[in-house]
Amino acid sequence: MYKILYLLTGNVFELPENIAKELKNKYPDEYKIIEKNGKKFNDKIKKIPDKDLNNSIYSSVVEK
């Protein structure tokens, strides 16, 4: 059994391995595996850089 954290709400679910891996593969930015078979697991989440920094107010306010 895997414990998986839904990052948007903070809810923790205990799910079978196949379902937990399926959710993690489909939505990698929304779920984090915190425990595998009773052992803690450090699941790393890739941070996505902001693509539209040039179109945001940030570029107007901050001088380069």
Side-chain angles (χ1 to χ4, degrees):
M1 296 295 279
Y2 280 38
K3 280 191 180 177
I4 191 165
L5 173 69
Y6 184 55
L7 297 172
L8 301 179
T9 61
N11 293 337
V12 177
F13 301 100
E14 191 167 339
L15 302 170
E17 179 180 354
N18 58 348
I19 295 173
K21 285 184 177 181
E22 181 181 332
L23 285 173
K24 181 67 179 167
N25 288 335
K26 280 187 177 180
Y27 311 104
D29 299 332
E30 295 180 9
Y31 290 95
K32 179 179 179 183
I33 296 173
I34 55 175
E35 196 173 293
K36 284 185 176 183
N37 299 322
K39 296 180 181 177
K40 291 189 178 189
F41 182 74
N42 189 10
D43 191 13
K44 300 189 183 202
I45 299 174
K46 297 179 184 176
K47 293 187 179 181
I48 300 172
D50 293 332
K51 297 176 184 173
D52 297 327
L53 270 180
N54 295 332
N55 297 334
S56 69
I57 194 168
Y58 180 80
S59 59
S60 301
V61 176
V62 177
E63 294 181 27
K64 294 182 180 180

